[in-house]
């Protein structure tokens, strides 16, 4: 039996058993589609989660002073602007920034609002990848001259100014009046887990001394050249801080690499689980197809016997059923 005759017999069999052919095809389609779909969803979700984490800042390490709730740390333990300059000398460091937070009340049109005042250095936007929606970020002149300018979040701009352009608008925080020079937002939503809140107002770090009385750095961010440099940069950062402060001071260093590693492990585990589920679905579909093939062979036992009797080879009979 040649290939054309085999195909003709197969087509006749499909026409004679349309429901069986449809169920077999459906099993193949569902099994194959489930594997492709699950693997695609798993890999896409993994890539999305990792990209969201990386968008908060690439190759980051950040350090803060470990404080006890019952007493304030000595002033000599606190990080300062000099520590920022010292961190810049660490090998493989691309950028360094510092922040200082303080809760304040903002007055706009005789209405008071609670705001999270954040003093930031010049490199903060680069490290945190803040998106400037309107206006501009601080420049070197703003830092040196202690200019009374600020950036506000998109949420705060909408609440205060509505549909009006907030650039150039005045807001009063404490005893100082600031001019809004920019509106910003985080590149990805951190849901309040970072120092940026919905009511955050960024001002030059050099102005925070007016509110806090000191130039204390609450959080020091360091960006390494590459992801591979992050562990060594984090270790060097601790050494620099311990060399500049009393040995009793305790600093906590965290890295985005560790968070990314945990996210990769979790996403890998979820991917494996989804692949196993897809494999089970494929196996069930295969069992269904096997049962249909078994019924088909059983129904054609007489035909198989006749073909063998007239000299058909085993391979020819098998080929007929496979086609």
């Amino acid at each position: 039996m040649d290939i054309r005759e085999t195909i003709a017999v197969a087509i006749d069999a499909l026409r004679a058993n349309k429901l069986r052919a449809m169920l077999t095809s459906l099993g193949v389609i569902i099994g194959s589609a489930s594997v492709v779909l699950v693997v695609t969803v798993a890999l896409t979700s993994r890539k999305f989660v990792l990209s969201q984490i990386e968008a908060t800042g690439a190759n980051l390490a950040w350090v803060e002073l470990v404080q006890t709730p019952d007493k304030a740390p000595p002033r000599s333990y606190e990080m300062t602007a000099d520590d920022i300059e010292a961190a810049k000398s660490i090998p493989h460091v691309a950028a360094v920034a510092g922040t200082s937070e303080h809760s304040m009340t903002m007055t706009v049109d005789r209405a008071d609002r609670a705001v999270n005042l954040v003093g930031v250095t010049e490199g903060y936007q680069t490290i945190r990848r803040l998106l400037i929606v309107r206006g501009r970020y601080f420049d070197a002149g703003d830092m040196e001259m202690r200019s009374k300018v600020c950036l506000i979040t998109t949420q705060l701009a909408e609440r205060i100014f509505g549909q009006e352009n907030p650039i150039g608008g005045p807001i009063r925080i404490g005893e100082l009046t600031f001019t809004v020079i920019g509106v910003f937002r985080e590149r990805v939503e951190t849901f309040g887990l970072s120092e940026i809140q919905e009511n955050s107002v960024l001002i030059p770090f050099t102005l925070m001394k007016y509110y806090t009385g000191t130039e204390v750095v609450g959080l020091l961010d360091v960006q390494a050249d590459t992801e591979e440099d992050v562990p060594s940069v984090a270790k060097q950062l601790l050494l620099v801080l311990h060399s500049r402060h009393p040995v009793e001071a305790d600093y906590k260093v965290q890295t985005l690499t560790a968070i990314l590693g945990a996210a990769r492990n979790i996403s890998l585990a979820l991917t494996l689980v989804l692949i196993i589920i897809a494999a089970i679905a494929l196996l069930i579909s295969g069992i269904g197809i096997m049962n249909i093939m078994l019924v088909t062979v059983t129904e054609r036992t007489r035909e198989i016997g006749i073909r063998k009797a007239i000299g058909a080879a085993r391979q020819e009979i098998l080929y007929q059923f496979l086609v």
Side-chain angles (χ1 to χ4, degrees), residues 44-105:
T44 304
S45 301
R46 180 174 183 268
K47 184 177 180 181
F48 174 76
V49 170
L50 295 179
S51 65
Q52 290 293 98
I53 296 176
E54 291 174 345
T56 61
N59 309 328
L60 284 186
W62 59 94
V63 60
E64 58 185 340
L65 176 65
V66 178
Q67 301 187 18
T68 55
D70 54 340
K71 64 177 181 179
R75 184 65 57 85
S76 59
Y77 289 13
E78 300 280 5
M79 295 181 292
T80 64
D82 293 334
D83 292 315
I84 297 178
E85 296 301 321
K88 293 179 180 179
S89 63
I90 298 175
H92 306 295
V93 167
V96 181
T99 61
S100 178
E101 296 182 66
H102 193 62
S103 297
M104 291 293 298
T105 300

Side-chain angles (χ1 to χ4, degrees), residues 175-208:
E175 300 298 325
L176 298 181
T177 300
F178 291 83
T179 300
V180 178
I181 62 170
V183 178
F184 75 97
R185 67 176 178 86
E186 293 182 289
R187 190 173 295 271
V188 294
E189 183 62 56
T190 57
F191 304 102
L193 298 179
S194 70
E195 66 275 10
I196 302 299
Q197 311 292 324
E198 289 187 358
N199 62 339
S200 289
V201 177
L202 304 186
I203 66 172
F205 180 81
T206 50
L207 269 178
M208 282 299 291

Side-chain angles (χ1 to χ4, degrees), residues 125-136:
Q125 180 200 1
T126 303
I127 289 181
R128 284 299 313 278
R129 296 183 175 181
L130 299 181
L131 292 178
I132 306 301
V133 180
R134 285 185 175 182
R136 64 175 179 86

